[in-house]
Amino acid sequence: MSEADVATKAPESDAQETVIPGDTPAQSGPTMGEHCTSDRPTPAGLSSKGELRKLGGVDVYLAKPDSYPTNPSKLLLLLSSGTGIKSTNNQIQADKFANEGFVVVMPDLFDGNPAPNSSVPEAEAEGTSLLDKFKLKAVEIAKSFMIDEWLARHTEEKVMPILEKVIDACRGEFADAVGNGGGIYAVGYCFGGRYVLLLASERTQVQTGWGGTQKPTDEEAGEGANATKKGPYIKAGALAHATLVSPDDFHGLKVPVSLVCVESDPMFPDEVRETGENIMSKINLEHEVQVYPGVPHGFAVIGDYNDANIKDAQVTAFEQMLRWLKEH
């Protein structure tokens, strides 16, 4: 049993905490659930310390070590879940990496339009009549459609240009940190996890749907002949409970990646993960994959849980990602 398995093993009763009303049930395709679109309560006594500002014309949350720029630092992109850069929990997550010596840039991947909350609060559902509960369920279904519409507005074609602008700006304003690290590092959670894979790849620029499926090139229009390759943009990456990932996203990977995964995660199905592992092994890519049982999707992001096993898993996942960055 791996260290992650030991650290996160939870009894069957813990599964009750992982089921949150509104979290997408059995998936027929890639999408996002409650854990990707709303935050857990912020742990008591924690608050963010960085700043919201513009970088390369893009809104970002910036967190820096207290000793920067006197002491050398490295540049880290943090790619968030659908809750975006104004989420206190996401900001605290960035601060944690800054405390470890990274200049952390968390870009607004959604151009000021974070994901709509996908669930009805439990308090609203308790103590209501059967008819009222039916109405609340209808509201949840409507919100699910809202998330799909939101995803359709935030495709790879929209997000990658945002990241390219931020990366170019980082190479200018934080050239010392980029140079000290020998490149740019990246971590990603939920929605942002897939984009760590894309930044770690050399890829032909083709249109894709929001689920990551590549659209065929138009040979008559000459798209195939004019296609250009880009990337990789980063030196190494780590991602936790990614969403919207397809097997195609593992092709073209060129830099070391570490994956924090949730056992039996409908947002990142086992078959996709296993296919990805096979692809990475076949191309001799340096990688690691740790599967955490008994934890909910989204567990690695700062947030308060009652269950000690989930709290321990948060610590272990952060240590896994941090170690990977420091070793590379």
Side-chain angles (χ1 to χ4, degrees):
M1 185 174 291
S2 70
E3 180 183 347
D5 289 336
V6 172
T8 62
K9 192 65 178 176
E12 288 300 317
S13 60
D14 294 340
Q16 295 179 2
E17 184 163 10
T18 71
V19 179
I20 295 180
D23 209 346
T24 311
Q27 303 295 307
S28 58
T31 186
M32 301 201 309
E34 167 68 10
H35 299 285
C36 304
T37 60
S38 63
D39 286 333
R40 295 287 300 180
T42 300
L46 294 184
S47 60
S48 58
K49 301 176 182 179
E51 63 173 326
L52 291 166
R53 52 162 289 191
K54 291 279 188 181
L55 182 63
V58 176
D59 289 324
V60 303
Y61 177 79
L62 177 65
K64 297 179 287 189
D66 292 338
S67 60
Y68 179 80
T70 304
N71 292 333
S73 297
K74 298 179 180 180
L75 196 288
L76 176 68
L77 293 177
L78 191 153
L79 311 182
S80 74
S81 69
T83 53
I85 66 171
K86 293 185 179 180
S87 155
T88 299
N89 290 356
N90 290 342
Q91 293 176 356
I92 296 171
Q93 193 75 49
D95 293 346
K96 286 190 66 175
F97 284 105
N99 291 338
E100 297 292 339
F102 292 91
V103 173
V104 184
V105 175
M106 179 168 60
D108 180 5
L109 304 177
F110 316 116
D111 197 20
N113 177 230
N117 189 302
S118 65
S119 72
V120 174
E122 290 184 39
E124 291 183 25
E126 292 179 358
T128 55
S129 68
L130 183 61
L131 177 60
D132 287 338
K133 288 181 178 179
F134 177 81
K135 291 178 179 178
L136 289 174
K137 185 62 179 178
V139 170
E140 288 187 10
I141 293 172
K143 289 184 177 180
S144 177
F145 282 112
M146 289 172 61
I147 289 176
D148 285 347
E149 291 176 356
W150 179 83
L151 286 170
R153 294 195 298 271
H154 300 289
T155 61
E156 179 181 335
E157 290 80 16
K158 299 290 181 62
V159 175
M160 286 301 291
I162 292 173
L163 288 172
E164 289 175 342
K165 288 180 182 178
V166 171
I167 288 170
D168 285 345
C170 286
R171 287 171 176 159
E173 182 167 344
F174 302 111
D176 58 335
V178 175
N180 183 57
I184 293 173
Y185 296 85
V187 296
Y189 298 86
C190 300
F191 183 97
R194 176 178 180 244
Y195 286 89
V196 172
L197 293 177
L198 301 190
L199 292 178
S201 301
E202 179 185 74
R203 306 176 73 243
T204 300
Q205 299 301 292
V206 295
Q207 289 190 334
T208 64
W210 58 260
T213 305
Q214 294 189 359
K215 299 176 183 178
T217 56
D218 186 343
E219 297 295 342
E220 292 183 3
E223 290 182 15
N226 296 326
T228 59
K229 289 186 176 181
K230 290 187 175 182
Y233 297 84
I234 59 175
K235 182 180 180 181
L239 51 147
H241 35 71
T243 57
L244 311 174
V245 174
S246 75
D248 285 343
D249 294 328
F250 291 94
H251 290 289
L253 284 170
K254 297 293 184 182
V255 303
V257 291
S258 173
L259 280 72
V260 170
C261 303
V262 173
E263 185 177 57
S264 302
D265 185 356
M267 308 299 166
F268 187 31
D270 291 346
E271 56 268 26
V272 174
R273 171 177 54 80
E274 291 165 0
T275 299
E277 290 185 72
N278 290 336
I279 292 171
M280 291 187 289
S281 295
K282 286 180 180 178
I283 63 176
N284 294 317
L285 182 84
E286 185 182 359
H287 68 280
E288 71 171 359
V289 178
Q290 291 289 342
V291 180
Y292 292 72
V295 296
H297 182 94
F299 82 96
V301 179
I302 287 291
D304 196 23
Y305 289 92
N306 293 325
D307 190 278
N309 294 289
I310 299 176
K311 291 182 178 181
D312 289 343
Q314 281 185 332
V315 174
T316 303
F318 178 74
E319 290 175 346
Q320 174 189 332
M321 300 171 81
L322 179 63
R323 172 184 49 78
W324 188 260
L325 298 176
K326 290 189 172 183
E327 288 179 353
H328 295 87

